[in-house]
């Protein structure tokens, strides 16, 4: 018995604009019913990748398959236009026309597909109920809030039962409170519809909250690929560690490598140990970055009986309500620490940091 093909299969996908390579030969697959996020800064290639999946751009190389059907393969002269791909797209701007009411916006994809009028009315009502806009059919975009406009765009993308839903930074135009609310709505809609979704964002919190899988992009390439827990807790690159969440990346050299793990030395001479699964490919004497999250660094009252400690000076303490953020100088490097809000240490005071072995990642800069 053969298994079903992935909902999306991308092989060596390449896109160039003049002399600029926007997408540099990337490959990935998206399982049926999953929620995958393309994450990265502006210009990394994530929106171009989404447009290539939709058929809004033609690739220069590689292949795109949807549900086992090749829809783009320039080497073979294959290019299926967007209207024949059965993909729903939600744009950053929502793309709502001021002269059309909510009903007509959501009905549009059905009408261009020549769905009978009786079915159009029923399917539009169902789609609007799904996004909690059942009573807004006669309103125009100017009469809707930003969150309501986004819901209309979602209903329009879902009304024709697409095989794949593509979302390009759909929350970026909303204020912080509304972004949080709509993020929860997107999660609910995905649970209810189980439509295969690919989501583009530069916001790491959105990616962590919504995704089954995150593809972190940089300069047209995928540099991290994994579930949110892996990307956050077990990054494979220094870039990934710094982009997804706050991370301390301390320069060190490898002193010893053994079955139990690795031993490294900071510039201050402090010795730290890391578990075997924390070490990327490296040799004794190699320079590495020690990656540890601020919430995993502890303030120790004494060095007695502790391993994996480093001495430092408190450079700055910032009160943030639920906690304090400390900036501790360890030699010529700075370590960010998430500490208790009532920690009684004054700026300029001596600090002993405990960096637990099981919280360390040792990465070679790529």
């Amino acid at each position: 018995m053969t298994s079903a093909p992935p909902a999306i299969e991308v092989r060596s996908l390449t896109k160039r604009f003049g002399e600029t390579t926007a997408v540099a030969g990337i490959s990935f697959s998206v399982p049926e019913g999953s929620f995958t996020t393309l994450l990265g800064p502006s210009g990394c290639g994530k929106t171009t990748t989404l447009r290539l999946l939709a058929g809004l751009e033609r690739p220069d190389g590689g292949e795109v398959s949807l549900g086992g059907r090749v829809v783009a393969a320039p080497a073979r002269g294959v290019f299926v236009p967007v209207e024949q791909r059965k993909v729903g797209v939600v744009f950053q701007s929502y793309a709502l026309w001021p002269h059309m009411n909510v009903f007509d916006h959501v009905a549009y994809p059905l009408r261009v597909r020549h769905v009978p009028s009786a079915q159009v009315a029923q399917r539009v009502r169902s789609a609007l109920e799904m996004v909690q806009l059942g009573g807004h059919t006669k309103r125009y975009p100017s009469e809707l809030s930003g969150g309501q406009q986004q819901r209309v765009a979602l209903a329009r993308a879902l009304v024709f039962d697409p095989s794949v839903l593509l979302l390009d930074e759909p929350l970026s135009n909303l204020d912080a409170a509304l972004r949080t609310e709509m993020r929860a709505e997107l999660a609910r809609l995905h649970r209810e519809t189980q439509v295969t979704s690919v989501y583009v964002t530069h916001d790491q919190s959105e990616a962590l909250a919504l995704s089954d899988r995150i593809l972190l992009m940089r300069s047209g390439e995928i540099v991290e690929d994994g579930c949110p827990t892996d990307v956050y807790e077990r990054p494979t690159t220094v870039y990934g560690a710094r982009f997804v969440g706050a991370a301390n990346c301390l320069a060190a050299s490898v002193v010893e490598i053994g079955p139990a793990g690795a031993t490294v030395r900071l510039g201050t001479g402090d010795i730290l140990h890391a578990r075997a699964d924390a070490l990327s490919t490296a040799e004794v004497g190699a320079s590495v970055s020690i990656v540890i999250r601020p919430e995993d660094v502890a303030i120790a009252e004494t060095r007695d009986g502790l391993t994996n400690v480093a001495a430092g000076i408190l450079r700055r303490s910032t009160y943030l309500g639920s906690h304090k953020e400390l900036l501790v100088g360890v030699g010529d490097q700075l370590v960010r620490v998430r500490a208790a809000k009532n920690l009684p240490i004054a700026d300029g005071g001596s600090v002993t940091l405990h960096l637990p072995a099981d919280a360390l990642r040792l990465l070679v800069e790529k």
Side-chain angles (χ1 to χ4, degrees):
M1 181 177 179
T2 59
S3 58
I8 301 171
E9 183 78 28
V10 170
R11 294 176 290 274
S12 303
L13 188 63
T14 302
K15 179 63 181 178
R16 291 181 291 273
F17 296 101
E19 296 183 357
T20 300
T21 300
V23 179
I26 63 174
S27 300
F28 64 91
S29 62
V30 178
E32 188 76 35
S34 65
F35 196 112
T36 296
T37 294
L38 301 176
L39 175 66
S42 297
C44 71
K46 58 189 187 296
T47 292
T48 300
T49 300
L50 194 83
R51 291 177 63 84
L52 290 166
L53 298 181
L56 297 169
E57 299 282 357
R58 289 176 176 263
D60 294 306
E63 294 188 358
V64 176
S65 297
L66 301 179
R69 175 195 182 198
V70 176
V71 295
R76 292 191 275 156
V78 176
F79 183 78
V80 176
V82 58
E83 64 271 15
Q84 296 178 25
R85 295 195 183 193
K86 205 178 179 185
V87 295
V89 184
V90 178
F91 297 98
Q92 183 176 351
S93 64
Y94 313 144
L96 302 183
W97 296 285
H99 66 283
M100 289 174 60
N101 64 25
V102 168
F103 183 95
D104 288 335
H105 272 102
V106 180
Y108 182 79
L110 301 175
R111 288 171 174 160
V112 299
R113 289 170 172 81
H114 307 294
V115 175
S117 297
Q119 291 184 33
V120 168
Q122 187 274 325
R123 291 173 70 171
V124 169
R125 283 195 297 270
S126 295
L128 288 172
E129 290 293 339
M130 186 188 305
V131 298
Q132 302 176 352
L133 285 179
H136 294 68
T137 55
K138 296 182 179 180
R139 294 192 183 183
Y140 289 85
S142 61
E143 300 173 305
L144 302 174
S145 68
Q148 290 170 331
Q149 290 181 35
Q150 189 212 51
R151 290 169 193 261
V152 173
L154 282 167
R156 182 178 58 190
L158 291 168
V159 70
F160 65 97
D161 191 26
S163 299
V164 172
L165 179 63
L166 306 175
L167 305 107
D168 185 12
E169 305 237 29
L171 307 184
S172 62
N173 293 329
L174 305 178
D175 61 45
L178 193 52
R179 274 203 307 272
T180 301
E181 176 186 331
M182 292 309 301
R183 190 171 69 196
E185 280 297 295
L186 286 172
R188 177 186 66 81
L189 283 170
H190 183 254
R191 286 195 303 271
E192 292 181 1
T193 64
Q194 289 298 295
V195 62
T196 305
S197 301
V198 178
Y199 187 91
V200 162
T201 185
H202 63 274
D203 188 316
Q204 56 172 304
S205 61
E206 288 178 17
L208 292 170
L210 289 168
S211 311
D212 300 316
R213 179 182 177 200
I214 295 172
L215 304 177
L216 177 62
M217 297 189 68
R218 180 188 189 187
S219 301
E221 299 180 342
I222 295 171
V223 295
E224 298 282 349
D225 178 357
C227 69
T229 301
D230 285 341
V231 170
Y232 185 82
E233 297 184 6
R234 291 174 286 278
T236 61
T237 63
V238 173
Y239 177 82
R242 286 178 168 150
F243 192 90
V244 183
N248 296 299
C249 299
L250 306 175
S253 58
V254 179
V255 175
E256 183 180 355
I257 300 174
T263 302
V264 297
R265 180 185 290 112
L266 296 174
T268 58
D270 291 301
I271 297 294
L272 302 176
H273 305 279
R275 298 187 318 186
D277 61 358
L279 182 65
S280 61
T281 303
E283 300 176 348
V284 172
S287 296
V288 295
S289 289
I290 303 172
V291 176
I292 185 168
R293 301 291 181 183
E295 64 268 25
D296 292 327
V297 183
I299 303 296
E301 294 184 1
T302 176
R303 298 177 71 105
D304 295 344
L306 280 180
T307 57
N308 277 43
V309 293
I313 302 295
L314 180 59
R315 302 298 186 195
R316 186 174 71 242
S317 174
T318 304
Y319 176 74
L320 296 175
S322 62
H323 65 281
K324 283 182 178 178
E325 183 177 271
L326 311 182
L327 206 57
V328 178
V330 176
D332 60 358
Q333 303 188 86
L334 293 174
V335 180
R336 187 176 297 145
V337 184
R338 184 184 176 105
K341 62 183 179 181
N342 57 354
L343 186 73
I345 301 178
D347 289 4
S350 297
V351 177
T352 298
L353 301 180
H354 180 217
L355 297 87
D358 60 0
L360 301 183
R361 295 282 293 169
L362 305 182
L363 301 176
V364 177
E365 187 75 64
K366 294 182 180 179

